[in-house]
Amino acid sequence: MSTQHVPEASTMPEAAAAGATAVVPERNQHLRRYLMCRPEHFTVSYRINPWMEPARPTDTALAVRQWQALYDTYLELGHQVELIDPIPGLPDMVYTANGGFVLDGIAYGPKFRYPERAAEAPAFLAWFAANGFDVREPDEVNEGEGDFLLAGDTILAGSGFRSAGASHRELARIFGREVVPLRLVDPRFYHLDTALAVLDPVVGAANGGPERAGIAYLAEAFDAESIAVLRARYPDAIVVDRADGAVFGLNAASDGRHVLISPRATGFARQLRERGYTPVPVDLSELLLGGGGIKCCTLELRG
Ligand code: ARG
């Protein structure tokens, strides 16, 4: 066993104890290819999550402007963004994370929990087929990258509100990766991407030790068994405060270096900086009226 020198608090030089010379790791950016959908038809006309209040007015023009700022930020950071045409009458189509799960050039399609979103599925499947992906039609209810997050070689898979447990097995069969099921218990955090963010795509177990995945999560969104799994697998994870979770701070998109987050998640931003990440605030307050944020509006396309 290798020994690591960890100074005890009492022997630490004062500056280090105050955090002034703490070693902050250098983070590497990974360029991404994303799929987004301009919210031209965004509104809240039905209620399928606790954030949605159809009686409350929405401002579609503001939603488009905020979305545009997210799109522009991705391009400024060097990422590639593809667009799928918005369809009238499908106000939630802006949340492209639910449009599928794409890995190794294979696009596993969604099968939405609620009929209000069902018509989005064929539109996403058609887009994947037209863009050269190996399309797999789902048998099981699943809402794509909203519930499935790739952390290194492992797929973290949520259930409890939207994606069915059976979809986790379908996912494992199609992609041949380890799938780790996690159970969500708070209806406000109904998709895995509202309660957990993968920050660093390079997950490696150094010398057989614990995985060093850069992930962040809101513990209270999960059942006790899932919390135990997360603690054991990711002892270095950032555990965010309730206040940051409540403003959808975890619905974030990371390229390994820059982490696009809600400007309201100030505590999480501080935690990210301490770990060497660069938080990039992007305000999607209007899209939060539909119960979605940055990550919901972003689907990663992995060739
Ligand atoms: N109104 C949408 C729904 O309830 C929001 C989806 C948010 N997407 C996400 N990946 N969390 O389905």
Side-chain angles (χ1 to χ4, degrees):
M1 208 182 100
S2 69
T3 49
Q4 241 186 319
H5 179 67
V6 182
E8 282 175 44
S10 59
T11 67
M12 265 195 237
E14 249 159 39
T21 59
V23 184
V24 177
E26 185 67 31
R27 300 288 173 183
N28 299 318
Q29 185 194 26
H30 299 253
L31 292 180
R32 312 284 208 200
R33 186 175 174 218
Y34 292 133
L35 178 63
M36 295 179 70
C37 180
R38 194 181 302 277
E40 282 165 24
H41 309 292
F42 174 73
T43 187
V44 176
S45 53
Y46 50 80
R47 181 179 165 96
I48 56 172
N49 71 56
W51 304 83
M52 302 175 85
E53 286 177 33
R56 196 161 150 187
T58 48
D59 181 341
T60 305
L62 176 58
V64 171
R65 283 200 302 280
Q66 292 181 335
W67 176 94
Q68 187 69 43
L70 175 63
Y71 175 89
D72 292 346
T73 304
Y74 284 137
L75 294 191
E76 278 158 26
L77 291 172
H79 303 295
Q80 195 185 332
V81 184
E82 311 287 347
L83 292 173
I84 181 170
D85 289 335
I87 298 175
L90 296 178
D92 276 341
M93 201 171 162
V94 59
Y95 306 113
T96 52
N98 302 124
F101 180 78
V102 185
L103 178 60
D104 301 331
I106 300 172
Y108 172 50
K111 186 167 172 180
F112 287 89
R113 168 74 58 185
Y114 297 112
E116 288 86 342
R117 296 195 67 182
E120 293 179 42
F124 280 104
L125 288 179
W127 190 92
F128 295 134
N131 286 274
F133 289 92
D134 173 0
V135 175
R136 305 296 169 90
E137 290 204 27
D139 287 329
E140 308 298 341
V141 169
N142 83 87
E143 298 200 350
E145 208 170 56
D147 274 325
F148 308 143
L149 296 173
L150 184 70
D153 282 331
T154 298
I155 302 170
L156 303 177
S159 69
F161 296 100
R162 299 294 179 89
S163 299
S167 72
H168 299 176
R169 293 183 280 283
E170 194 168 40
L171 194 64
R173 213 179 328 113
I174 290 172
F175 294 99
R177 309 278 174 120
E178 178 193 29
V179 173
V180 174
L182 297 169
R183 194 161 186 89
L184 297 161
V185 294
D186 182 332
R188 286 175 306 156
F189 306 107
Y190 55 93
H191 277 137
L192 184 62
D193 72 357
T194 67
L196 188 149
V198 177
L199 304 172
D200 188 343
V202 183
V203 185
N207 307 320
E211 290 178 28
R212 286 292 183 257
I215 73 160
Y217 62 92
L218 176 69
E220 65 204 69
F222 296 93
D223 73 1
E225 204 183 312
S226 305
I227 295 172
V229 168
L230 289 170
R231 283 210 186 112
R233 294 185 75 104
Y234 306 109
D236 294 339
I238 296 178
V239 180
V240 307
D241 279 348
R242 178 177 306 202
D244 292 307
V247 292
F248 254 42
L250 283 160
N251 200 247
S254 175
D255 64 18
R257 183 181 178 93
H258 311 98
V259 185
L260 280 62
I261 57 164
S262 160
R264 286 168 204 80
T266 51
F268 184 32
R270 198 177 324 112
Q271 289 173 304
L272 287 167
R273 266 184 243 106
E274 283 165 11
R275 308 290 183 107
Y277 296 103
T278 306
V280 179
V282 178
D283 188 8
L284 293 189
S285 60
E286 199 61 23
L287 290 156
L288 189 56
L289 300 178
I294 293 167
K295 179 65 196 75
C296 301
C297 295
T298 310
L299 174 66
E300 191 169 350
L301 302 170
R302 306 176 189 88

